[in-house]
Amino acid sequence: MGYPDFPIPEQKKSYLTQAEILDFLNLYAENFGLKKYIKCNTMVMDVRPVDNQWKITCVDKPTGQIFVNLYDSVMICNGHYNDPITPSIPGQELFAGTIEHSHNYRDPERFRGQKVLVVGAGPSGLDLTLHISSVADYVVLSHRVAEPIKTQYPANVEIRPDIKRILDFDKVEFIDGTCCGFNAILFCTGYRYSFPFLHDSCEISIDDNHIQPLYKHMIHIDKPTMCFIGIPFNVCTFQMFDLQARYYCKYLNGLMSLPSAEEMRVHTQEDMENRQAKGYTKRQMHMMGPDQQSYYNELAHDANTAPIPPVLVKLRDLSVKRLYDDLVNFREDQYKILDEQNFVKVSN
């Protein structure tokens, strides 16, 4: 976590809470005098190109007042954890309990004494299964992951395969033929990339979470004064956001040139073909994972800026592995960075 020009203050633990990360971001904004540029309670309603500029329409939420401004460039930084994917299960209309997505989860108390089905074995599904098991009667984690889940959950947690259908007001059948009754179903099934404020004239398409036409997963090929920050996933998030922003600012400030639109299209097509050759699906076209270090190095080289140190990628990869192997205890791990390549584990 942290940024190259403003690291998180030195401390003993390696994993920070949400509140501590928020404190750090506020400290960052205060240090660089950014808060005067931030408009809270303001929703972007419409973005469209107008005469080589961008017309941005916003609404002030408390008053309803509409604002329209023109800008030379626009950076889309709205994240991709806002439009939840909620699967449709055969027989879902029969279920009498609650059905919701983890997007709306705040605390486990509402599930106290209930029988809860958690669907999805990504980080959210694994984590919320543990949270909810502390108050629920029992929890079933249903997933389609090929590899077995290694985390040792409490005795009131059971792992089952994917859902086949809902049979009646509370009974769910799984693909192995087993059935179980539930009061609540919680989907931890991911999110869609969503940009509802982009007008059709922006000419951005999304097909199964593959956004086009983006050069290096960020710059609009045909309208390069529009850039998307944070699209790739399975990455070192804060560091990648910073690197992408530095890359794009080099271009905006005239310190770096982009290839022609045709050259960017060729590069993007080659990247897609390489990913397909590795077995990536369309939904994985923006996934970095094992490819992230080469992506960072490419951005840094082109922009003549500092790369993301390999040690951070190594730490990120180990952290993900530890999450899946030992969800209950991994946050107790402590690490010390030695140099740009190496770190040591100092406790567990």
Side-chain angles (χ1 to χ4, degrees):
M1 303 294 281
Y3 298 105
D5 55 353
F6 197 79
I8 291 176
E10 187 74 22
Q11 51 197 292
K12 290 184 178 180
K13 60 182 180 180
S14 295
Y15 291 91
L16 305 185
T17 65
Q18 291 176 329
E20 289 168 331
I21 291 298
L22 179 59
D23 288 342
F24 166 73
L25 292 174
N26 276 309
L27 192 63
Y28 179 90
E30 291 166 3
N31 182 76
F32 292 103
L34 301 179
K35 290 194 173 182
K36 61 185 176 183
Y37 301 111
I38 300 173
K39 287 188 176 182
C40 296
N41 294 314
T42 303
M43 179 178 289
V44 176
M45 304 297 293
D46 186 83
V47 176
R48 65 181 68 194
V50 176
D51 298 330
N52 295 320
Q53 289 185 301
W54 295 95
K55 179 182 176 183
I56 314 295
T57 302
C58 302
V59 59
D60 180 76
K61 296 293 287 184
T63 66
Q65 186 176 357
I66 303 294
F67 298 91
V68 179
N69 291 289
L70 291 175
Y71 297 91
D72 294 321
S73 62
V74 58
M75 299 171 75
I76 310 298
C77 311
N78 66 319
H80 41 87
Y81 297 106
N82 189 56
D83 187 6
I85 297 173
T86 303
S88 178
I89 300 173
Q92 188 167 319
E93 71 281 357
L94 302 174
F95 191 71
T98 61
I99 298 178
E100 60 183 305
H101 193 276
S102 58
H103 177 70
N104 300 315
Y105 180 89
R106 294 298 178 268
D107 65 72
E109 191 58 35
R110 61 179 299 179
F111 298 108
R112 180 171 294 278
Q114 294 192 1
K115 302 173 179 65
V116 183
L117 172 60
V118 177
V119 182
S124 293
L126 297 177
D127 213 12
L128 295 190
T129 295
L130 182 62
H131 282 204
I132 294 170
S133 68
S134 66
V135 298
D137 184 4
Y138 68 79
V139 181
V140 169
L141 174 60
S142 168
H143 71 92
R144 60 180 66 175
V145 178
E147 296 183 4
I149 293 174
K150 297 180 181 179
T151 286
Q152 297 298 309
Y153 282 107
N156 64 334
V157 174
E158 184 180 349
I159 310 297
R160 296 209 185 189
D162 204 4
I163 299 172
K164 181 179 181 180
R165 57 179 172 168
I166 294 176
L167 296 174
D168 57 29
F169 68 96
D170 74 340
K171 190 174 294 182
V172 175
E173 181 182 4
F174 301 91
I175 59 173
D176 62 357
T178 61
C179 299
C180 195
F182 299 99
N183 307 114
I185 298 175
L186 183 65
F187 287 114
C188 300
T189 43
Y191 296 82
R192 301 177 188 86
Y193 290 104
S194 179
F195 312 102
F197 45 83
L198 294 185
H199 187 263
D200 289 346
S201 58
C202 292
E203 298 181 316
I204 286 291
S205 68
I206 307 175
D207 182 9
D208 198 17
N209 268 9
H210 181 205
I211 307 170
Q212 297 190 78
L214 296 186
Y215 176 61
K216 295 188 185 295
H217 305 270
M218 54 185 294
I219 297 176
H220 194 316
I221 291 176
D222 299 311
K223 298 175 175 60
T225 52
M226 171 178 278
C227 176
F228 294 73
I229 299 296
I231 295 300
F233 60 98
N234 288 5
V235 295
C236 299
T237 51
F238 276 36
Q239 292 81 13
M240 187 197 71
F241 300 161
D242 175 82
L243 179 57
Q244 287 184 322
R246 283 187 280 139
Y247 178 97
Y248 192 57
C249 286
K250 281 286 186 82
Y251 165 68
L252 292 180
N253 291 327
L255 301 175
M256 181 188 79
S257 298
L258 293 176
S260 68
E262 184 55 35
E263 289 172 325
M264 287 192 283
R265 259 186 283 275
V266 170
H267 178 280
T268 301
Q269 182 63 33
E270 290 175 348
D271 179 59
M272 288 173 52
E273 291 173 357
N274 288 336
R275 290 170 171 274
Q276 290 167 348
K278 294 176 182 178
Y280 291 6
T281 64
K282 187 175 292 184
R283 290 184 62 82
Q284 296 172 318
M285 285 297 108
H286 299 299
M287 183 180 76
M288 291 300 159
D291 305 313
Q292 61 180 307
Q293 188 69 66
S294 60
Y295 175 68
Y296 305 149
N297 291 345
E298 188 176 287
L299 291 182
H301 176 270
D302 291 353
N304 191 27
T305 190
I308 295 176
V311 66
L312 297 183
V313 177
K314 294 175 183 177
L315 267 172
R316 182 262 171 198
D317 290 345
L318 176 61
S319 178
V320 171
K321 183 178 185 303
R322 289 283 295 135
L323 180 152
Y324 281 98
D325 288 351
D326 189 9
L327 176 69
V328 177
N329 301 304
F330 85 100
R331 290 185 180 88
E332 301 303 317
D333 295 346
Q334 295 180 25
Y335 303 96
K336 181 177 180 62
I337 293 176
L338 301 178
D339 52 42
E340 291 196 349
Q341 292 286 342
N342 302 292
F343 68 90
V344 292
K345 186 175 181 180
V346 294
S347 77
N348 59 353

